[in-house]
Amino acid sequence: MNIKWHENPLRTTVELTDNERERFRLKLKIDEYEEAVGMAALYLDEKGDQAKYFSLETARRYLARVQKEEFENEHYDDFIREIESGYHCGDCTSAPSSCAKCYAEGLLGIDTIPGLKHDVAVYVDAAFGRDENVGIDEAIRRLKTYEPVPSGGWLELPPEKFEANVDHWKKQARAAYKWLVDYKRSRLA
Ligand SMILES: [Zn+2]
């Protein structure tokens, strides 16, 4: 496994050998089987807390997925793409979805953004933005000099509402700055 630390930590990628890919495929398969069987069990619970959801039909549908030939490969390609070229976006960056890259890294037993909390990661994400030419030094500079400026919906609210949040936002940006400086020193040196 070759982890290629990117200047933007949310874009770090991992190269897998054929053996590692195969292990990943099997782990994903087990995970998906467990989920399907767990869901089926939930719909087969006749007497317990879930009894009101009892449904042979739904349980059968979950179990039918396990039998499908293509089941194991359904998401494999997507997750491999996340590992090899994707970027973190989801729970880990305060976006309202689960992060496929975090999930895939979890199956591999790695974490390329350890200690980066989601409400701090969102500042790291914003410092790089969507311009792939922004390097780590520029992102660090942006975080170091971060000054919140009212925009969007804030412009319609009384200025004191905005002001009330400024200290908190600056604190988060400061935490992002420290994390990124440490990342540069430990991963990119
Ligand atoms: Zn993530």
Side-chain angles (χ1 to χ4, degrees):
M1 191 182 304
N2 176 23
I3 300 181
K4 293 156 87 179
W5 302 102
H6 196 284
E7 290 213 10
N8 179 345
L10 303 174
R11 292 186 177 278
T12 286
T13 52
V14 182
E15 270 178 6
L16 300 178
T17 63
D18 288 346
N19 273 341
E20 286 164 342
R21 278 168 164 258
E22 180 58 10
R23 270 182 57 183
F24 178 79
R25 193 182 63 78
L26 293 172
K27 279 189 174 181
L28 181 62
K29 184 172 170 177
I30 291 168
D31 218 37
E32 297 202 328
Y33 275 23
E34 278 179 354
E35 197 196 316
V37 171
M39 290 304 288
L42 190 108
Y43 287 99
L44 292 174
D45 182 11
E46 272 179 286
K47 298 189 182 116
D49 299 342
Q50 313 293 332
K52 62 180 169 185
Y53 300 114
F54 182 82
S55 165
L56 274 179
E57 195 42 52
T58 310
R60 209 174 276 137
R61 216 164 44 231
Y62 276 105
L63 292 176
R65 295 186 62 204
V66 178
Q67 292 173 316
K68 274 199 217 156
E69 280 286 304
E70 69 268 29
F71 181 73
E72 64 194 62
N73 293 321
E74 208 175 347
H75 300 121
Y76 172 76
D77 290 341
D78 292 340
F79 286 123
I80 285 290
R81 201 177 312 120
E82 284 297 331
I83 292 167
E84 293 183 339
S85 62
Y87 65 91
H88 285 280
C89 180
D91 309 329
C92 61
T93 59
S94 302
S97 64
S98 55
C99 174
K101 196 170 175 72
C102 277
Y103 172 74
E105 287 188 359
L107 284 184
L108 287 174
I110 59 169
D111 176 5
T112 58
I113 49 171
L116 183 61
K117 293 186 185 138
H118 68 94
D119 51 355
V120 172
V122 70
Y123 285 83
V124 172
D125 196 19
F128 283 94
R130 288 290 165 263
D131 178 358
E132 288 185 39
N133 295 317
V134 174
I136 193 165
D137 291 328
E138 171 60 12
I140 286 173
R141 190 197 64 77
R142 289 178 180 181
L143 288 168
K144 194 177 184 182
T145 57
Y146 173 77
E147 278 296 335
V149 177
S151 64
W154 287 109
L155 295 170
E156 286 153 37
L157 294 169
E160 36 307 357
K161 291 233 180 208
F162 181 85
E163 289 303 323
N165 288 292
V166 166
D167 282 352
H168 175 67
W169 291 331
K170 282 181 148 180
K171 213 173 118 197
Q172 302 291 78
R174 189 77 197 158
Y177 164 78
K178 283 186 182 163
W179 190 92
L180 199 54
V181 168
D182 188 55
Y183 173 84
K184 184 185 171 188
R185 201 185 53 228
S186 59
R187 301 300 188 194
L188 304 180

